[in-house]
C-alpha cells in the first residue's frame, strides 16, 4: 500500500489534471451504474401501480438521459484523459531522466543500481506500466465505490444476503493474495532473464558494435541468445498465466455461487413473506439488477486487483530508483565564489564499491593556482580516480579534498561544478550542432568565442569545409545530412567545449588518446595558451605531455611516488617516471633509411 501511495503522489506531481479526470470518470461510471439499477424500479412500480403518464415519461426520460448523457460524458472524459495519459507517461519518464542526471555518479557505475535502472526502464518502455497503472487504479477505485453502494442497496433486504456477499469477497481476496504472492515470485524470476534478453536485443540496435558483429559473423550467436531468453520468458509467463487463470476460475465459481444464492433469496422474498416482507415487481427488478451488476463488477474488480498488483510489482524498481539520494540537492550549502586558488588532497584513501582493495592509499599533495600538472602512472594506478574525486563523482573513504581550504562537499553542487571543466577519454558528442556541442547552450552562445576555439584546437579548415560551418549538426542518427568526425577531430571539439566553459580549473583525462603523435604534440604545444592562466590537471599515457607541465605527479600503486618538475624527475634515473619516459622515447626513434 505504501508503494501504491508513492506512485499516486508521483503521478499527481506530474499531471494532477489526469488524476482528476480519471476520478471524475470513475464517479461518472458509478453514477451511471447505480442510476440504471434504481430508475427501472421506479418505472416498473409506476407501470404496475398508478400508471400516471407524466411520471412514466419522467422515469423513462431519466433512464434514456442517464445512458445517453453519461455515455457522452464518459467518452468526452476518455478523450481528454487519453491526452493526459500520454503526458503522464512522458512526465514520469522525464522525472526519471532528471533523477539520473542528479544522482551521485557512483550509482551509475554500480552494477546493482545499473540493474535497478534497467528494470525500471524495462517496466516503463516494455510493459507500459505507468499508463496501465494509473488507469487501473481509478478503475478499481470506481468499482470499489460502486460495489459498496450496491452492498448498501442489498442491505435493505436484511443481513443474510450481505453475509453471503461479504464471505464471497473474503474468499476472493484470499485467492487474490495467493495470486499476488505467485506474481511476486515470478517477478524475481523474470528480472534477470529480462536483463539478459535486453542486453542481447540492444546489440542489434547498437551501431557501435555492428562492425564486429558482421566481421566475426556473430549474428547467429546473438540471435540464439535472444531466442533462448525469449523462450525462458515465455515459459515463465505461461506458468504464471496458467496459475492466474485457475485463480480467476475459482473466483468465478465463488461469484456464480453468490449470484445463484442472491437470485434464490430475492425470488423467495418476491413470492413469499417467509423470510421478510414481500417485494414489489419494481423492487425485484432493482435487486436482480443489483445482483447481476455486482457479480459482473466483482469479477472485473478481482481482475483489476490482480492487474494492479502485477503492474505495481513491475513498477517497484522505478519507485525504488526514484527514492535514491540526489547529489545536486542533498549536499553542500556554501556557494562557490571566485577562482580555484589551491587544490589539496589530505590523506585521501578511496575504494571503489564492491572492490576489495583501495585504489588510492593515503594520498596527499597540493596544487596552486595557475599550475599545469601532469598525472603519470601505470594503468590502474589511480590517475583517473583522482579526477573523479575532484569532480565529486565519488566520495573518499578517508581524508579530505580541499579547494581554497574548504572541503569540496561543503560547496553547493551546481556552483562548484561551474568552476571545473573536464574532458574525459570516453567523451561524447551529441546530436546538436558543432556550436551547441561546444557551448552546451541552445541560445545566447558567443559565436565569436566558438569560432576562436575551433581555430585554436586546429579544426578551422575542417569546419569551413562544411556547408553550414559551426551550425552543422553532428551525427546521422536522425539527420541524413548530419556530419561525422574522426576520433581525433571529435576530441578536439570536446577540448573546445571544456575551454568554452571558462572554468578556473581544467581537467583533461587522456585528452589526446585518439590523436596521432603529431596532432598530440600540436595540442600540447598550444595547451598553455589555450588554458591561459587557468589551473590545469591532465592525464596522459604519453610522456611528451609532461614536458609542457610545471610539475608531474607520479602515482604508483595508489600512492604518491613523487611530485616534481620534469627536469628534476629526469635526474632520478631509477624512478618510475624516468623509466616510462625513456621507454616511450625509444619507441618514437626512427631507424635511418638504408
Amino acid at each position: 500500500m505504501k508503494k501504491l501511495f508513492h506512485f499516486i503522489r508521483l503521478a499527481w506531481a506530474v499531471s494532477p489534471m489526469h488524476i482528476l479526470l480519471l476520478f471524475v470518470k470513475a464517479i461518472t461510471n458509478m453514477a451511471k451504474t447505480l442510476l440504471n439499477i434504481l430508475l427501472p424500479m421506479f418505472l416498473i412500480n409506476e407501470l404496475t401501480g398508478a400508471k400516471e403518464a407524466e411520471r412514466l415519461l419522467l422515469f423513462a426520460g431519466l433512464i434514456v438521459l442517464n445512458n445517453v448523457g453519461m455515455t457522452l460524458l464518459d467518452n468526452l472524459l476518455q478523450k481528454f484523459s487519453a491526452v493526459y495519459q500520454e503526458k503522464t507517461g512522458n512526465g514520469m519518464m522525464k522525472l526519471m531522466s532528471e533523477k539520473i542526471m542528479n544522482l551521485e555518479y557512483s550509482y551509475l557505475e554500480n552494477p546493482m543500481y545499473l540493474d535497478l535502472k534497467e528494470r525500471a526502464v524495462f517496466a516503463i518502455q516494455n510493459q507500459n506500466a505507468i499508463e496501465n497503472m494509473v488507469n487501473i487504479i481509478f478503475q478499481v477505485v470506481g468499482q470499489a465505490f460502486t460495489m459498496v453502494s450496491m452492498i448498501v442497496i442489498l442491505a435493505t433486504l436484511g443481513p443474510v444476503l450481505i453475509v453471503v456477499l461479504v464471505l464471497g469477497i473474503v474468499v476472493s481476496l484470499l485467492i487474490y493474495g495467493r495470486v499476488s504472492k505467485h506474481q511476486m515470485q515470478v517477478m524475481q524470476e523474470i528480472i534477470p532473464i529480462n536483463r539478459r534478453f535486453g542486453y542481447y536485443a540492444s546489440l542489434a540496435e547498437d551501431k557501435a558494435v555492428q562492425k564486429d558483429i558482421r566481421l566475426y559473423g556473430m549474428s547467429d550467436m546473438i540471435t540464439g541468445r535472444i531466442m533462448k531468453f525469449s523462450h525462458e520468458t515465455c515459459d515463465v509467463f505461461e506458468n504464471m498465466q496458467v496459475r492466474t487463470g485457475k485463480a480467476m476460475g475459482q473466483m468465478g465459481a465463488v461469484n456464480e455461487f453468490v449470484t445463484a444464492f442472491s437470485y434464490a433469496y430475492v425470488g423467495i422474498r418476491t413470492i413469499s413473506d417467509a423470510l421478510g416482507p414481500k417485494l414489489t415487481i419494481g423492487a425485484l427488478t432493482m435487486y436482480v439488477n443489483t445482483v447481476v451488476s455486482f457479480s459482473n463488477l466483482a469479477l472485473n474488480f478481482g481482475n483489476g486487483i490482480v492487474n494492479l498488483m502485477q503492474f505495481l510489482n513491475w513498477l517497484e524498481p522505478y519507485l525504488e530508483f526514484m527514492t535514491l539520494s540526489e547529489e545536486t540537492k542533498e549536499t553542500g550549502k556554501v556557494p562557490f565564489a571566485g577562482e580555484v586558488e589551491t587544490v589539496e588532497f589530505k590523506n585521501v584513501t578511496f575504494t571503489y564499491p564492491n572492490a576489495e582493495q583501495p585504489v588510492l592509499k593515503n594520498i596527499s599533495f597540493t596544487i596552486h593556482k595557475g599550475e599545469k600538472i601532469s598525472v603519470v602512472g601505470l594503468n590502474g594506478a589511480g590517475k583517473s580516480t583522482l579526477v573523479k574525486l575532484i569532480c565529486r563523482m565519488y566520495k573518499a573513504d578517508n581524508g579530505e579534498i580541499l579547494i581554497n581550504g574548504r572541503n569540496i562537499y561543503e560547496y553547493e553542487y551546481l556552483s562548484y561544478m561551474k568552476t571545473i571543466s573536464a574532458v574525459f577519454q570516453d567523451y561524447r558528442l551529441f546530436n546538436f550542432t558543432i556550436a551547441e556541442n561546444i557551448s552546451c547552450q541552445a541560445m545566447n552562445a558567443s559565436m565569436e568565442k566558438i569560432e576562436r576555439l575551433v581555430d585554436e584546437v586546429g579544426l578551422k579548415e575542417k569546419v569551413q569545409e562544411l556547408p553550414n560551418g559551426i551550425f552543422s549538426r553532428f551525427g546521422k542518427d536522425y539527420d541524413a545530412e548530419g556530419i561525422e568526425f574522426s576520433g581525433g577531430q571529435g576530441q578536439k571539439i570536446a577540448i573546445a567545449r571544456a575551454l568554452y566553459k571558462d572554468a578556473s580549473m581544467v581537467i583533461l583525462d587522456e585528452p589526446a588518446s585518439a590523436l596521432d603523435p603529431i596532432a598530440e604534440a600540436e595540442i600540447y604545444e598550444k595547451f598553455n595558451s589555450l588554458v591561459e592562466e587557468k589551473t590545469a590537471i591532465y592525464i596522459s599515457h604519453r610522456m611528451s605531455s609532461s614536458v609542457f607541465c610545471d610539475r608531474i605527479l607520479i602515482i604508483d600503486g595508489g600512492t604518491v611516488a613523487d611530485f616534481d618538475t620534469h627536469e628534476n624527475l629526469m635526474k632520478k634515473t631509477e624512478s618510475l617516471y624516468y623509466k616510462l619516459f625513456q621507454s616511450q622515447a625509444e619507441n618514437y626513434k626512427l631507424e635511418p633509411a638504408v
Side-chain angles (χ1 to χ4, degrees):
M1 191 61 69
K2 183 179 179 181
K3 292 185 292 184
L4 180 60
F5 286 132
H6 182 203
F7 176 81
I8 293 174
R9 284 196 299 271
L10 287 174
W12 175 265
V14 168
S15 181
M17 183 57 70
H18 188 203
I19 304 301
L20 291 174
L21 282 171
L22 290 174
F23 182 76
V24 172
K25 192 171 182 294
I27 297 299
T28 300
N29 290 333
M30 179 183 72
K32 179 182 177 182
T33 301
L34 293 178
L35 288 173
N36 276 334
I37 289 173
L38 295 172
L39 290 175
M41 178 189 69
F42 293 111
L43 179 63
I44 293 173
N45 283 341
E46 196 64 36
L47 285 171
T48 58
K51 298 181 181 180
E52 295 182 10
E54 291 182 358
R55 291 176 62 84
L56 285 172
L57 289 174
L58 173 64
F59 290 125
L62 288 175
I63 291 172
V64 172
L65 180 63
N66 175 52
N67 283 278
V68 175
M70 288 296 189
T71 300
L72 289 175
L73 179 59
D74 183 68
N75 290 337
L76 183 64
L77 292 172
Q78 181 64 34
K79 175 184 176 181
F80 285 109
S81 65
V83 175
Y84 281 100
Q85 176 176 307
E86 190 72 19
K87 291 183 178 180
T88 301
N90 292 337
M92 297 287 262
M93 279 299 295
K94 180 175 178 286
L95 281 181
M96 185 170 183
S97 299
E98 292 174 346
K99 189 73 177 182
I100 292 172
M101 289 187 285
N102 292 327
L103 283 177
E104 292 185 21
Y105 182 82
S106 59
Y107 286 128
L108 304 180
E109 288 194 341
N110 189 318
M112 182 178 71
Y113 293 109
L114 287 175
D115 179 74
L116 182 65
K117 177 178 74 69
E118 288 184 22
R119 286 187 284 144
V121 172
F122 178 84
I124 295 172
Q125 294 182 346
N126 294 63
Q127 305 298 319
N128 293 324
I130 289 177
E131 292 88 341
N132 288 319
M133 184 71 174
V134 173
N135 289 333
I136 290 171
I137 287 173
F138 286 94
Q139 287 175 11
V140 168
V141 168
Q143 290 164 351
F145 284 151
T146 306
M147 289 173 65
V148 170
S149 301
M150 290 178 177
I151 289 175
V152 171
I153 293 173
L154 294 173
T156 59
L157 281 175
V160 175
L161 193 55
I162 297 302
V163 170
V164 173
L165 290 174
V166 170
L167 285 176
I169 292 173
V170 170
V171 173
S172 294
L173 288 176
L174 292 175
I175 297 172
Y176 297 154
R178 192 173 62 196
V179 172
S180 175
K181 183 178 180 181
H182 178 249
Q183 287 182 343
M184 287 290 291
Q185 294 171 347
V186 168
M187 277 295 298
Q188 297 305 316
E189 186 178 350
I190 202 70
I191 284 169
I193 300 174
N194 279 335
R195 187 165 182 243
R196 294 182 181 94
F197 173 86
Y199 168 74
Y200 290 108
S202 67
L203 292 179
E205 302 174 358
D206 188 354
K207 66 178 183 180
V209 301
Q210 293 304 310
K211 294 189 293 292
D212 294 285
I213 291 175
R214 285 163 170 76
L215 183 62
Y216 295 105
M218 299 171 64
S219 59
D220 289 343
M221 184 170 67
I222 292 173
T223 303
R225 295 293 175 87
I226 292 173
M227 294 307 298
K228 174 180 180 293
F229 294 121
S230 177
H231 289 317
E232 289 184 14
T233 301
C234 289
D235 290 342
V236 172
F237 275 115
E238 181 182 6
N239 181 43
M240 185 186 75
Q241 292 300 329
V242 168
R243 295 192 60 169
T244 301
K246 290 180 179 179
M248 294 302 295
Q250 293 168 355
M251 289 186 285
V254 172
N255 191 60
E256 290 300 324
F257 170 79
V258 171
T259 302
F261 180 87
S262 301
Y263 274 133
Y265 184 79
V266 172
I268 292 171
R269 288 288 302 271
T270 304
I271 63 176
S272 171
D273 58 2
L275 300 177
K278 292 178 65 174
L279 302 177
T280 65
I281 299 299
L284 170 67
T285 303
M286 180 189 70
Y287 288 124
V288 168
N289 285 338
T290 303
V291 169
V292 172
S293 298
F294 187 89
S295 299
N296 294 330
L297 202 59
L299 279 176
N300 292 332
F301 180 77
N303 189 51
I305 291 292
V306 171
N307 289 332
L308 180 64
M309 291 176 177
Q310 180 177 338
F311 283 110
L312 190 59
N313 289 336
W314 281 117
L315 281 171
E316 185 174 358
Y318 176 88
L319 299 175
E320 183 180 350
F321 191 84
M322 294 301 294
T323 62
L324 298 177
S325 60
E326 297 184 17
E327 168 72 3
T328 57
K329 295 181 179 178
E330 299 181 10
T331 58
K333 302 298 181 183
V334 180
F336 191 98
E339 297 183 346
V340 173
E341 302 290 337
T342 59
V343 179
E344 183 179 4
F345 275 58
K346 293 180 64 176
N347 304 315
V348 172
T349 297
F350 174 74
T351 307
Y352 280 104
N354 304 318
E356 295 182 359
Q357 297 296 326
V359 66
L360 295 177
K361 307 167 188 174
N362 204 34
I363 292 282
S364 295
F365 61 87
T366 302
I367 300 172
H368 300 286
K369 180 180 179 179
E371 280 194 307
K372 311 298 185 289
I373 303 297
S374 176
V375 182
V376 172
L378 299 174
N379 287 336
K383 304 184 299 298
S384 294
T385 303
L386 290 175
V387 174
K388 292 178 180 178
L389 291 174
I390 293 173
C391 293
R392 284 172 55 164
M393 295 177 179
Y394 288 96
K395 287 185 179 180
D397 303 337
N398 296 299
E400 285 187 298
I401 302 172
L402 309 175
I403 289 187
N404 298 352
R406 186 185 293 273
N407 189 300
I408 60 174
Y409 281 93
E410 294 179 21
Y411 291 116
E412 186 271 328
Y413 180 80
L414 294 179
S415 64
Y416 176 78
M417 294 308 295
K418 287 180 180 178
T419 197
I420 300 174
S421 190
V423 181
F424 297 100
Q425 185 176 2
D426 56 349
Y427 73 94
R428 288 291 183 271
L429 297 185
F430 306 98
N431 288 123
F432 300 121
T433 65
I434 294 173
E436 289 169 333
N437 268 286
I438 292 174
S439 67
C440 297
Q441 297 177 23
M443 301 175 63
N444 303 321
S446 170
M447 296 302 115
E448 181 181 350
K449 185 176 181 180
I450 291 171
E451 290 177 347
R452 175 174 59 81
L453 288 171
V454 166
D455 183 20
E456 289 180 348
V457 298
L459 283 178
K460 181 177 180 180
E461 292 183 5
K462 171 64 179 177
V463 172
Q464 286 179 339
E465 293 173 357
L466 301 174
N468 298 313
I470 59 174
F471 301 106
S472 301
R473 186 177 300 279
F474 174 78
K476 297 181 179 293
D477 290 348
Y478 63 87
D479 188 350
E481 297 182 359
I483 61 171
E484 298 284 0
F485 279 149
S486 68
Q489 291 168 338
Q491 202 144 27
K492 289 180 179 180
I493 293 293
I495 291 173
R497 177 166 61 202
L499 295 172
Y500 183 93
K501 188 178 180 182
D502 203 25
S504 63
M505 180 164 62
V506 181
I507 301 174
L508 304 177
D509 187 356
E510 299 289 345
S513 62
L515 303 181
D516 58 68
I518 296 176
E520 177 196 35
E522 179 186 347
I523 285 291
Y524 286 136
E525 286 173 4
K526 292 183 177 180
F527 186 71
N528 284 332
S529 62
L530 289 174
V531 299
E532 299 173 338
E533 300 301 318
K534 304 180 195 304
T535 304
I537 303 171
Y538 59 101
I539 299 167
S540 176
H541 283 99
R542 292 171 181 164
M543 308 304 294
S544 57
S545 63
S546 302
V547 176
F548 300 94
C549 291
D550 298 312
R551 289 190 293 166
I552 297 95
L553 179 67
I554 312 300
I555 304 295
D556 187 11
T559 62
V560 175
D562 215 331
F563 192 21
D564 210 337
T565 65
H566 170 73
E567 292 77 11
N568 289 338
L569 289 172
M570 288 300 292
K571 295 175 184 178
K572 303 174 183 179
T573 57
E574 298 301 318
S575 69
L576 174 64
Y577 180 81
Y578 181 86
K579 293 176 182 177
L580 289 173
F581 193 93
Q582 290 297 103
S583 173
Q584 289 193 9
E586 289 293 327
N587 290 335
Y588 283 109
K589 288 181 180 179
L590 298 178
E591 296 294 335
V594 178

